Amino acid sequence: MKKLALHWKIIIGMVLGIIFGFIMNGIDGGKGFVSDWIAPFGTIFINLLKLIAVPLILASLIKGISDLKDISKIKSMGLRTIGIYVFTTLVAIVIGLTIVNVVQPGEGMPQDTIEKIKAKYENDAGVADKLAKATAQKDAGPLQALVDIFPSNIFQSFAEASMLQVIFFAMFVGICLLLIPEKKAKPLIKFFDSLNEVVMKMVDLIMLFAPYAVFALLANVIIAFDDIEILIKLLYYSICVVGGLILMICFYLLLVSVYAKKSPLWFLKQISPAQLLAFSTSSSAATLPVTMERVEEHIGVDKEVSGFVLPVGATVNMDGTSLYQGIAAVFIMQVIWPEGLTFSNQLVIVATALLASIGSAAVPSAGMVMLVIVLESIGFPAELLPIGLALIFAVDRPLDMCRTVVNVTGDATVSVLVAKSLDKLHEPRVKNWDDNYKK
Ligand code: ASP
């Protein structure tokens, strides 16, 4: 009998996790049971994915660059990648701003709803935490983000999983391997090639655990929802964000079919396990190993391209996040600061949401931290900030899950486009044991 494909198993795990979470929410002591006995399995899974992220970036990037044979190719790949990333992010922000201005989800929100949300979340530790993180980020100088790319101690970068620093180091090693005599470079290239194979196999093995892990992750998300009434009040706003994200996915599919001449449904099917994990973990960084595996082995993007485009994209390309930031910023203004809703402020939002999505870490909730910076850039009154965040806090997690799916799909799409433009898109070679297929 043909085994159930991985993405179906993951979907079943997700649905059962949601149902289980709701049941436990209604049972006395159920929440405690989920957080003590179920959630840790989700954490173990995320830890395993993070564990292999650094070796994977290192091995695939060093191998990819040393395969290029020619340094000028790195420049052309780099410029194309960054150019397409900026383009898709701008499209995302424009889609977000258009939707929120047309639909106006914040118009006419009843005062008592605002008061209720304010009372519940204004002094919430989660809101305070986002504000504190945003202040720390803002206090750093304007070039701090650039300085942060260059590590002084690579082991510290590994330990902290600082993605851009690891990417810089790997590229540096890869370029130097191209510059030294081939005979001397060979042993190291072989080593990283072999490391890359091992890590890819680790992805396969870890993914066998995915259906159970997403069960745990989603059950844990569900038990955190407590005020359904507030969630419903924010439904209008949430629908705007999700609608925009769906449009963004359609845009990617259009790019894949028109430019790369691949069937959109086929692309979605190949990338779906990564999307489902992005949804369950809310972290593009944790999803990265799976995104790489899917894109290389199931879509056929050459390692040279995916090894560079995907790790860079996980950190700097967050179309879902920027779309969300545009909608959230304008929604908050519609509700509590309508006088700020000028055209010039919306132009500033386009620029800052672009930068903020580049600067957002690929971890849960990072988009909300950077939203504070977007709001501050348009002179949003500081005393209203906690209320603004409180307004959207209740639905941040589900929206984070959805925008992370778009972030990951965007990275995968751009890797396909760059690969196509460099003639590095091949027939996929699915390896034995992937998806639990037995040959
Ligand atoms: N969770 C998102 C990601 O990792 C970032 C965000 O929008 O909060 O891609």
Side-chain angles (χ1 to χ4, degrees):
M1 196 179 80
K2 192 171 176 282
K3 284 225 164 148
L4 208 55
L6 180 65
H7 58 274
W8 287 116
K9 288 190 192 164
I10 298 181
I11 290 175
I12 293 171
M14 288 165 80
V15 173
L16 292 180
I18 292 173
I19 296 172
F20 184 71
F22 275 119
I23 294 174
M24 283 300 166
N25 233 352
I27 293 180
D28 236 11
K31 286 188 183 189
F33 177 78
V34 172
S35 55
D36 287 348
W37 294 100
I38 304 291
F41 294 100
T43 312
I44 292 174
F45 178 68
I46 293 187
N47 285 353
L48 287 175
L49 287 173
K50 286 190 183 156
L51 169 76
I52 56 175
V54 168
L56 180 60
I57 297 175
L58 204 61
S60 67
L61 200 49
I62 292 179
K63 165 85 176 59
I65 291 190
S66 53
D67 277 349
L68 280 175
K69 305 270 184 300
D70 175 5
I71 293 191
S72 65
K73 285 198 196 149
I74 300 173
K75 196 172 139 212
S76 94
M77 184 166 77
L79 288 179
R80 260 170 236 221
T81 306
I82 301 298
I84 307 178
Y85 276 158
V86 170
F87 167 68
T88 56
T89 306
L90 285 175
V91 171
I93 303 173
V94 171
I95 291 180
L97 286 181
T98 310
I99 292 180
V100 74
N101 280 295
V102 172
V103 180
Q104 306 205 335
E107 280 302 302
M109 186 183 260
Q111 196 56 35
D112 64 315
T113 308
I114 302 176
E115 291 304 326
K116 197 167 170 223
I117 296 179
K118 221 167 105 179
K120 188 159 165 61
Y121 293 106
E122 193 182 356
N123 298 314
D124 189 283
V127 170
D129 174 58
K130 306 279 175 309
L131 286 168
K133 283 190 179 142
T135 313
Q137 189 116 9
K138 199 179 53 180
D139 285 348
L143 288 186
Q144 192 56 39
L146 181 68
V147 173
D148 285 345
I149 296 176
F150 301 91
S152 60
N153 179 343
I154 194 59
F155 294 102
Q156 193 180 347
S157 317
F158 291 163
E160 290 168 358
S162 309
M163 227 111 69
L164 289 181
Q165 297 187 349
V166 176
I167 291 170
F168 168 78
F169 178 73
M171 289 185 70
F172 205 9
V173 174
I175 290 172
C176 291
L177 281 173
L178 285 178
L179 296 176
I180 62 175
E182 218 182 308
K183 216 171 125 228
K184 298 245 156 105
K186 228 178 184 150
L188 206 53
I189 295 178
K190 276 200 161 154
F191 168 80
F192 282 113
D193 193 17
S194 162
L195 180 64
N196 191 55
E197 289 291 318
V198 170
V199 180
M200 282 304 201
K201 191 43 71 193
M202 286 176 161
V203 178
D204 291 348
L205 295 183
I206 294 171
M207 284 303 279
L208 295 179
F209 179 49
Y212 310 99
V214 294
F215 173 89
L217 289 166
L218 286 188
N220 197 38
V221 167
I222 297 295
I223 57 161
F225 287 163
D226 42 9
D227 202 329
I228 300 288
E229 198 195 331
I230 289 183
L231 292 187
I232 292 172
K233 294 264 160 52
L234 291 172
L235 204 60
Y236 219 13
Y237 155 73
S238 308
I239 290 174
C240 286
V241 176
V242 174
L245 294 175
I246 292 174
L247 279 182
M248 209 48 213
I249 299 262
C250 296
F251 175 63
Y252 295 142
L253 296 182
L254 189 73
L255 290 177
V256 167
S257 81
V258 171
Y259 187 72
K261 306 268 181 301
K262 294 277 181 196
S263 144
L265 285 182
W266 172 84
F267 173 76
L268 268 188
K269 190 167 166 221
Q270 306 312 313
I271 197 70
S272 58
Q275 292 176 317
L276 295 172
L277 278 200
F279 184 80
S280 310
T281 61
S282 281
S283 166
S284 340
T287 313
L288 181 64
V290 181
T291 319
M292 288 182 88
E293 198 248 17
R294 300 307 295 185
V295 164
E296 284 170 17
E297 293 181 6
H298 296 254
I299 295 184
V301 172
D302 204 294
K303 254 193 211 40
E304 295 164 14
V305 175
S306 59
F308 172 76
V309 177
L310 293 174
V312 171
T315 349
V316 309
N317 182 51
M318 296 198 178
D319 300 344
T321 302
S322 55
L323 182 145
Y324 153 85
Q325 282 166 340
I327 296 188
V330 174
F331 170 73
I332 292 173
M333 291 204 282
Q334 286 169 348
V335 180
I336 52 173
W337 193 50
E339 56 276 30
L341 274 172
T342 58
F343 184 68
S344 60
N345 269 350
Q346 303 221 22
L347 283 184
V348 177
I349 292 179
V350 174
T352 45
L354 172 68
L355 295 175
S357 72
I358 294 175
S360 300
V363 295
S365 245
M368 199 171 176
V369 172
M370 298 308 271
L371 175 66
V372 176
I373 295 175
V374 172
L375 285 172
E376 283 179 339
S377 69
I378 48 171
F380 191 84
E383 68 282 6
L384 292 182
L385 266 178
I387 308 174
L389 286 201
L391 265 181
I392 53 166
F393 191 72
V395 283
D396 187 59
R397 179 66 193 210
L399 295 183
D400 191 3
M401 296 159 81
C402 299
R403 64 190 189 241
T404 309
V405 173
V406 171
N407 291 345
V408 165
T409 313
D411 298 342
T413 305
V414 175
S415 75
V416 171
L417 301 183
V418 173
K420 178 79 184 172
S421 76
L422 296 170
D423 206 15
K424 299 272 175 201
L425 191 58
H426 317 296
E427 276 310 304
R429 271 187 315 252
V430 180
K431 296 212 179 114
N432 193 9
W433 208 5
D434 263 6
D435 274 18
N436 207 9
Y437 291 142
K438 294 225 166 53
K439 268 204 179 144

